[in-house]
Amino acid sequence: MTTQPSQAKSPTELVITWEALPKDFKLEDEPVNNIGHAALHESLEMPLLAGALRESLEIIGFIQPQMLIASNFGLCATVNGQFVTKAPDWLYVPSVNEIVGNRKSYTPNLEGNIPAIAMEFLSDTEGGEYSVKRTYPPGKWFFYEQILQIPIYIIFEPNGGLLEYYQLENQRYELKLPDENGRHWIEVMGLFLGTWQGTKEARSGYWLRWWDQAGNLLPWAVEQIEQERQRAEQERQQKERLIAYLQSQDIDPNNLPYSDFSLDLENLTSISLFL
C-alpha cells in the first residue's frame, strides 16, 4: 500500500493521511436505482444536472487532459486510520498527477490537486449535505471543509432553484452572496456560475449554468446547433434581400465587377456599402 506522510492534523487531533484505496473497498454513495419511483426520478435527474455542467465546458474547449471533472465520484482520505469516501454530485480538480481513463476514485495529494469545487444537488432523500458529524463516517460538510478543505462548496436545490455558494475562509465555509446578476465569479475557472430556468432533455426546471467573463451564457450542444441554424437563416434572408435589390436596379448579381464573385456574406456586405 502506498502511503504519504500525514498532511494535516487538526486542532482536535484528527490524523489525516492520503493512502491508495484498496481495490476491494466499497465506495460510499453509489447510486441505487431500484428503491421506488422517487428515488428512480432522482437518480435520473442528478446525472442530467451534472452532465449539463460538463457539456458546456467541453463545447468551449475548457476541459484539458490533466483536469478531473466527474460526478457521483469517490473522493478519499484516511482519517485516524480509517478510509473515508464521499461522492459529490459534481467536482472539479484542476490537475491530477496521472491521466487515468477509467478512474473510479480519487485521493487528493496522493494523486494530484485537492478539488477546487465540490457540488451537491439536494433531493427529497436526505444526503448529509449539511452534516458536520465528525465521528466515523464523518458528514459531507465536515469532510469537505475540515478534512479535504475544498475551497468552494456548492449546494443546489433543483426544485426551487436555490444556489448556496460557500467559500473556505479561515478553515470554515462562509456563505457568499451572488452579484447583481445572481451569479458567482469562480476565479479558478475564469467563469461565472448561476441558475437558469428552462428545458433540456425533457427536464423542465432550474439548472446550473456557466457564463463567461463578458456575461455570455455558455451554450449546450442543442443551443449551439440552434444558434448556427438561426445564423444561417439570417444570412440566407440577407442574401435574398440583396439579390432582390440588385435585380430591382437591373443589376445581374452574377455579373458584378468582382473577381471570383460569390454570394457570401462578406461580399454582399461590401456590395450593400458600395451601393
Side-chain angles (χ1 to χ4, degrees):
M1 177 184 298
T2 302
T3 306
Q4 283 197 350
S6 176
Q7 300 292 320
K9 191 170 184 179
S10 77
T12 49
E13 301 303 322
L14 286 178
V15 178
I16 304 169
T17 56
W18 314 101
E19 304 176 13
L21 199 66
K23 293 183 179 180
D24 59 351
F25 188 85
K26 181 176 175 56
L27 292 173
E28 185 180 327
D29 296 338
E30 291 183 349
V32 178
N33 294 337
N34 59 352
I35 55 174
H37 175 75
L40 178 60
H41 173 73
E42 291 167 6
S43 69
L44 296 174
E45 182 177 51
M46 301 310 174
L48 284 178
L49 295 170
L53 282 169
R54 182 185 180 91
E55 181 180 327
S56 296
L57 298 177
E58 288 177 331
I59 288 173
I60 66 168
F62 175 87
I63 301 176
Q64 301 300 311
Q66 76 276 8
M67 295 178 180
L68 174 59
I69 295 176
S71 57
N72 198 32
F73 182 88
L75 290 178
C76 311
T78 304
V79 183
N80 294 342
Q82 294 180 296
F83 285 109
V84 179
T85 67
K86 298 294 177 183
D89 288 315
W90 194 90
L91 66 89
Y92 167 61
V93 180
S95 181
V96 299
N97 296 338
E98 182 181 1
I99 300 171
V100 178
N102 192 29
R103 193 187 295 270
K104 297 296 184 182
S105 65
Y106 179 74
T107 302
N109 294 313
L110 177 67
E111 298 183 74
N113 292 162
I114 290 173
I117 304 170
M119 295 188 192
E120 294 289 354
F121 306 146
L122 297 181
S123 66
D124 294 335
T125 304
E126 167 60 36
E129 291 84 1
Y130 296 98
S131 175
V132 294
K133 175 178 174 287
R134 59 176 298 110
T135 56
Y136 184 86
K140 285 184 177 179
W141 182 292
F142 183 83
F143 187 69
Y144 300 152
E145 179 190 66
Q146 297 298 313
I147 297 174
L148 297 187
Q149 298 183 17
I150 297 175
I152 297 172
Y153 180 32
I154 292 165
I155 300 177
F156 178 55
E157 199 283 291
N159 292 332
L162 177 63
L163 169 60
E164 299 175 38
Y165 184 99
Y166 296 95
Q167 192 163 315
L168 194 65
E169 296 180 355
N170 299 319
Q171 298 185 330
R172 297 293 184 195
Y173 281 138
E174 297 291 340
L175 181 65
K176 298 298 180 180
L177 296 177
D179 64 13
E180 64 276 9
N181 296 310
R183 304 167 194 161
H184 296 271
W185 174 249
I186 301 180
E187 184 68 35
V188 71
M189 297 183 71
L191 295 170
F192 287 101
L193 179 72
T195 59
W196 178 90
Q197 190 173 14
T199 301
K200 174 179 169 60
E201 298 184 53
R203 179 191 178 273
S204 295
Y206 292 97
W207 302 78
L208 288 178
R209 300 289 302 264
W210 305 106
W211 284 260
D212 65 18
Q213 191 168 9
N216 300 307
L217 178 66
L218 302 192
W220 292 322
V222 65
E223 293 171 333
Q224 189 177 47
I225 291 171
E226 177 60 21
Q227 289 172 4
E228 292 298 327
R229 187 198 66 78
Q230 291 180 4
R231 186 178 298 111
E233 176 63 19
Q234 289 172 356
E235 290 182 5
R236 184 190 66 78
Q237 292 178 4
Q238 185 175 3
K239 287 180 180 181
E240 289 182 349
R241 288 195 299 268
L242 286 170
I243 291 172
Y245 175 79
L246 292 172
Q247 291 173 339
S248 72
Q249 302 299 309
D250 294 326
I251 299 173
D252 183 357
N254 297 312
N255 191 28
L256 290 170
Y258 287 86
S259 60
D260 298 325
F261 175 77
S262 61
L263 287 175
D264 59 35
L265 184 59
E266 183 178 354
N267 281 333
L268 287 170
T269 301
S270 299
I271 293 170
S272 65
L273 292 173
F274 175 76
L275 294 173

